[in-house]
Each structure stands twice: as C-alpha cells, then as structure tokens.
Amino acid sequence: MSQENTSSIIVVGKLGAPYGIKGWLKVHSFTDDPIGIFDFSPWLIGQQGKWQTLEVVDWRRHNKGFIAKFAQVNDRDEAMAYTHAEISMDAAQLPELPQGEFYWRDLIGMSVVTDKGYDLGIVDDLMETGSNDVLVVKANNKDAFGQAERLIPFLTDSVIKEIKHDVKEITVDWDPGF
C-alpha cells in the first residue's frame, strides 16, 4: 500500500508482545465487539508509516484478550518485529450497513445546521457516554453565540432530524446558544 493512499485506513487494534516460540502475538482489539477484529483478513500492519499485509491463519482467546498466528510469522524473533504495531483495515473491507445506519467515521467532517438554518459548525469527533453518543461539533470562527465547541446528544428522534450523506450535512433541533 502506498504512503499517499492511507485516508481510507482505519486502526482496529494493536499487536502486543510475542506469545510462545512459534510466532504467535498478543492482539488488543479496538472494535465494538472485540472478536469482530477476526472477521477480516489479511490485516494491514502499520509501523513507522509503512504498511504491509499479514494473513491471520489462527487465533484464540487468551486470558482477557486474544492471540493470533500469521502465515508469514513462524518464530518468536519474527513475531518480535511486529510488537506494538497497529492493526488496520481498509474502509472498503467494512460490511455494508443497512439503510439508515452508518459508521461514526462517516459523520466526521459533516456540517451541522439547526432546523431553523443556523450553521453550528463541523462534526470534529464523537463520544460515547453511558446513555447515548454525543457529537462534538467545532463551531465556526465567528460563531454568533461565542461557542468554540458544542456537545450535541445523538438522539435520532428528538435532536437529530436528518442526515444527508450526499451533501455531508446533519440537521438538528438544537438551540445555538448551548
């Protein structure tokens, strides 16, 4: 994979220390369902900005995490070279979602406007709270309400009115003063 083509790469985990002498490595999964990391192969492994693919040939639970074996890694010394490398995948490998569902990364960079037409800013991040997800919206430089950032609950019935993927815009029922 070339250096310029990394915009569609999503980090889904990290490799840990070698396990045993046959090339197994500990795996730290960042996916919502930790086992989901094993739903795709090969993995893109990133170290110092360089990417290579490794094919997962076997994996299993180990203590509170996982260990994995790769086709190209056959002993502890080879495994050592991958310690702490990022596990990534190309966004194209993500499964298609049902109509009306989307990945968080699809919302980043979208404009957020109130149902009355006020431009609240751009989605900068999302946070997971106990009860619901929250949009972190970076306000425009000259925000009339003096806001630098807004935290808007991602409640699809009451707050989020419409998500227009084609124009990258989210319409919300929200008071710009908050």
Side-chain angles (χ1 to χ4, degrees):
M1 170 152 293
S2 70
Q3 195 64 26
E4 308 82 50
N5 191 19
T6 56
S7 62
S8 65
I9 291 184
I10 302 164
V11 175
V12 293
K14 190 173 188 173
L15 291 172
Y19 176 81
I21 59 170
K22 296 189 174 168
W24 288 73
L25 282 146
K26 292 180 181 168
V27 174
H28 306 284
S29 176
F30 302 159
T31 55
D32 276 349
D33 175 9
I35 293 177
I37 197 168
F38 298 105
D39 287 347
F40 65 94
S41 179
W43 288 351
L44 281 173
I45 304 298
Q47 293 175 299
Q48 286 95 41
K50 300 213 179 349
W51 298 91
Q52 74 178 88
T53 57
L54 287 182
E55 186 182 343
V56 180
V57 291
D58 199 4
W59 67 272
R60 60 177 159 258
R61 288 184 182 276
H62 178 69
N63 296 332
K64 291 183 178 154
F66 303 99
I67 55 174
K69 173 77 176 83
F70 302 97
Q72 305 91 320
V73 183
N74 297 306
D75 64 41
R76 189 174 183 86
D77 290 340
E78 288 175 13
M80 194 72 79
Y82 295 102
T83 301
H84 306 301
E86 289 182 331
I87 303 167
S88 303
M89 63 184 281
D90 192 306
Q93 289 176 277
L94 289 171
E96 282 291 316
L97 292 176
Q99 185 68 32
E101 290 187 27
F102 39 81
Y103 292 104
W104 272 15
R105 65 180 184 81
D106 297 338
L107 302 178
I108 309 257
M110 282 193 169
S111 321
V112 181
V113 293
T114 68
D115 50 2
K116 296 177 183 49
Y118 187 81
D119 183 357
L120 295 172
I122 303 286
V123 178
D124 191 45
D125 199 3
L126 285 107
M127 294 188 315
E128 210 171 335
T129 66
S131 54
N132 56 273
D133 297 334
V134 174
L135 293 173
V136 179
V137 179
K138 186 173 174 48
N140 301 309
N141 288 340
K142 295 185 169 67
D143 186 78
F145 295 87
Q147 301 285 346
E149 181 179 88
R150 291 182 174 87
L151 301 178
I152 301 175
F154 197 86
L155 300 170
T156 48
D157 293 331
S158 54
V159 178
I160 307 296
K161 294 301 176 189
E162 188 177 10
I163 298 172
K164 300 180 209 148
H165 288 283
D166 52 339
V167 292
K168 295 188 74 57
E169 185 178 273
I170 301 171
T171 305
V172 295
D173 179 2
W174 194 251
D175 180 344
F178 285 118

